[in-house]
Amino acid sequence: MGELHPNVVSQPLSADQADEAVIYLNRHADGASNPTVNLRALRRKIDRRLMPYMFCCYVLQFLDKVMLNYAAVMGIKKDLNLVGNDFSNTATWFFIAYLIAEVPNVYCLQKVPPGKWLGANVVLWGVAAAASAGAHGYRGLLVARIFLGIFEATVGPSLMLISSQYYTRSEQAPRFTVWYMGLGVAQIIGGLISFAFQHVQHASLERMADYVPYLGTSYSCLALLQHVSENQTGVWSTTFDLKQIREAALDVQLWLLTVTTILISVSSGVVTTYSSTLIAGFGFSGPISALLNMPSGIVSIVFTLLVGIGIRKTSNRWAWNVLCTIPGIIGGALLSFLPKTNKAGVLIGIYLVNAIVATLPILYQWTMANCAGHTKRAFASALVAGSFSVGNIIGPQTFQSRDAPEYRPAKIAVLATQAAAAVLSAVLFVYYKWQNRHRDQIKGHVDESKMDGTKWAGLTDKQNPSFRYVY
């Protein structure tokens, strides 16, 4: 990508349609006479200012989310007198709260800049996570986990919206990958922390609040806005449009993405909450179980990097999604059908299931790339993030105390959901191909000369004749 000369929007738009970018561009109309901006340098600057904070944010939120996983082998069940399905319930109610909180998130992300809304919730989730350490029984732990779910609910949607605002659709995939890679890093760090703290009697932890910086100079912003205008999705607007909510609720692609995310997240819920428990079931001590869980993070990182780079170079999101389900299916089969005495084989199965984690940033970026319209995008980000929580509600509940120590139904659920997710990925590919062909036949091929009028009009993907889906 070379040099870009910033141009301003020439077509007037009504106040309820206009993107915030239109206001900015018209306010800086003299930018057209200014020197060109090096987009490569600008993109590197944005990467430096955004990616580290988004990555750290995701590392911390995943550590907070999976601390129950490590606490399980550190004696929390005994210390808090958790009996029956109490442990599974605390994991489940985190995601129930997470899901419910996505409803107000749709409105809040439309009215408040995503970076500011995220920053406020980061502080509050730190408080909720710290409160978990003060729990003396099941009820206290349950309340702390519920509040943690409420405050963490905005992390996924906020990071999705921020990533889609600063990058084109082809640039988004590796950037989603960078911050989502925090999940695998958190798995590794979590294992080390758990191992270390199982050897000490007293400890205190200090938490950090991250922030997302705002991009500076007007010339750079002009160039950036023109650069990302090819997305045809807009950047941000405070206008809340109920018509776009209705459209989203009836959009076939969004529900296919939602169901796929739920299926993927069932396995994610198993990995998040019970991987250490499964490993401990082989007879390993708590500290060793924590260490043996660390390769899961390495698998997550490798596959997440692979798909991020692959999509940037080849697109074909659907194929990369299917590719990552294959190790998940194999891992689910090893977990389900190998005898427990085959420790190496079952361990490999646990590790392979973690490849499925790499499909979630694909689904997140796919949603942002194919959903246009300010309110629709906010709704879509919250819906897909909420779908993640639905899968994580189902996942831990497949682990019932009556099925211990084999947990065979849970393992079969991992296998079945991954296979179903692969099928739906192929269905999405067919749907998008059909939609694009239909638009070409009915409305003609995209006329680049007519795209300027729709770039910042706040139109949804259904309303915009120039919009084409990526797959």
Side-chain angles (χ1 to χ4, degrees):
M1 200 178 307
E3 306 290 329
L4 179 70
H5 190 83
N7 299 310
V8 295
V9 176
S10 57
Q11 179 171 334
L13 299 170
S14 62
D16 61 336
Q17 288 180 314
D19 194 286
E20 292 290 316
V22 175
I23 300 171
Y24 184 90
L25 288 167
N26 286 333
R27 189 178 296 158
H28 297 79
D30 62 340
S33 62
N34 284 302
T36 57
V37 174
N38 187 314
L39 278 176
R40 283 196 177 94
L42 176 59
R43 190 167 55 228
R44 286 195 298 269
K45 178 181 179 181
I46 296 168
D47 287 340
R48 288 195 303 269
R49 298 186 70 173
L50 287 179
M51 290 298 109
Y53 298 105
M54 297 170 76
F55 173 79
C56 289
C57 185
Y58 214 76
V59 168
L60 290 176
Q61 71 91 28
F62 194 78
L63 274 174
D64 290 342
K65 190 180 298 172
V66 300
M67 58 185 177
L68 270 187
N69 185 21
Y70 298 106
V73 296
M74 294 174 72
I76 192 173
K77 295 179 182 179
K78 179 181 178 182
D79 292 345
L80 299 188
N81 194 29
L82 302 181
V83 296
N85 292 320
D86 286 353
F87 182 78
S88 291
N89 290 340
T90 56
T92 297
W93 273 98
F94 169 91
F95 288 104
I96 292 176
Y98 190 106
L99 178 62
I100 293 171
E102 294 298 355
V103 177
N105 261 330
V106 176
Y107 182 81
C108 293
L109 286 171
Q110 185 86 60
K111 293 297 183 180
V112 182
K116 293 182 179 179
W117 182 242
L118 174 63
N121 280 272
V122 164
V123 174
L124 293 172
W125 110 47
V127 174
S132 301
H136 294 287
Y138 171 61
R139 290 184 180 179
L141 180 63
L142 185 63
V143 170
R145 295 291 292 180
I146 287 173
F147 277 101
L148 189 63
I150 291 171
F151 297 132
E152 283 195 19
T154 193
V155 175
S158 295
L159 294 182
M160 281 189 268
L161 286 171
I162 292 168
S163 299
S164 65
Q165 288 172 344
Y166 284 89
Y167 302 99
T168 64
R169 292 195 287 188
S170 64
E171 293 168 352
Q172 286 170 20
R175 272 75 184 186
F176 274 69
T177 292
V178 168
W179 57 258
Y180 198 85
M181 205 165 50
L183 184 151
V185 173
Q187 287 177 302
I188 296 171
I189 294 174
L192 286 173
I193 292 174
S194 177
F195 176 80
F197 276 84
Q198 288 183 68
H199 291 84
V200 297
Q201 299 299 318
H202 302 285
S204 62
L205 293 176
E206 184 177 353
R207 295 192 177 272
M208 174 183 80
D210 298 308
Y211 69 95
V212 177
Y214 184 74
L215 190 65
T217 63
S218 60
Y219 300 151
S220 296
C221 285
L222 285 167
L224 175 65
L225 290 173
Q226 286 296 326
H227 178 52
V228 300
S229 65
E230 70 176 61
N231 292 341
Q232 296 275 307
T233 58
V235 176
W236 187 59
S237 172
T238 57
T239 303
F240 192 82
D241 190 344
L242 286 175
K243 291 181 181 178
Q244 293 191 10
I245 296 288
R246 286 195 292 271
E247 179 183 307
L250 298 173
D251 195 338
V252 173
Q253 63 143 342
L254 195 49
W255 289 109
L256 286 172
L257 287 164
T258 295
V259 175
T260 305
T261 305
I262 290 173
L263 291 169
I264 292 296
S265 301
V266 169
S267 296
S268 176
V270 171
V271 169
T272 298
T273 309
Y274 275 99
S275 57
S276 292
T277 301
L278 289 173
I279 293 171
F282 296 137
F284 295 113
S285 64
I288 298 301
S289 296
L291 286 179
L292 287 174
N293 199 45
M294 289 171 57
S296 297
I298 297 173
V299 173
S300 298
I301 292 171
V302 169
F303 276 88
T304 302
L305 277 174
L306 177 66
V307 300
I309 297 170
I311 291 173
R312 172 64 166 152
K313 292 184 177 295
T314 67
S315 192
N316 292 313
R317 292 160 179 80
W318 73 276
W320 288 104
N321 222 43
V322 172
L323 176 67
C324 289
T325 63
I326 293 172
I329 293 169
I330 295 172
L334 292 175
L335 283 172
S336 300
F337 304 118
L338 282 182
K340 191 178 177 181
T341 53
N342 190 340
K343 294 182 181 180
V346 178
L347 266 177
I348 291 172
I350 292 172
Y351 298 149
L352 285 176
V353 169
N354 284 269
I356 206 67
V357 167
T359 63
L360 289 169
I362 299 175
L363 292 166
Y364 288 168
Q365 192 272 323
W366 215 355
T367 303
M368 291 294 94
N370 284 340
C371 287
H374 307 117
T375 305
K376 184 175 181 179
R377 289 173 72 233
F379 178 86
S381 66
L383 181 63
V384 173
S387 305
F388 169 76
S389 68
V390 171
N392 278 272
I393 290 169
I394 297 170
Q397 288 302 312
T398 61
F399 278 82
Q400 296 294 308
S401 57
R402 64 177 178 271
D403 298 323
E406 292 292 333
Y407 298 108
R408 182 61 60 85
K411 297 171 182 177
I412 293 175
V414 169
L415 173 63
T417 53
Q418 299 324 300
V423 171
L424 282 186
S425 297
V427 171
L428 272 165
F429 164 70
V430 173
Y431 174 79
Y432 286 136
K433 286 278 287 186
W434 172 75
Q435 277 287 325
N436 287 349
R437 188 181 302 115
H438 176 72
R439 288 178 178 227
D440 288 342
Q441 291 172 349
I442 302 300
K443 301 173 183 177
H445 289 277
V446 177
D447 187 345
E448 298 289 340
S449 65
K450 296 180 180 179
M451 286 178 61
D452 284 344
T454 61
K455 286 177 179 178
W456 308 116
L459 300 176
T460 67
D461 50 282
K462 298 279 188 188
Q463 298 167 337
N464 185 353
S466 299
F467 191 94
R468 294 296 182 271
Y469 297 101
V470 296
Y471 49 80

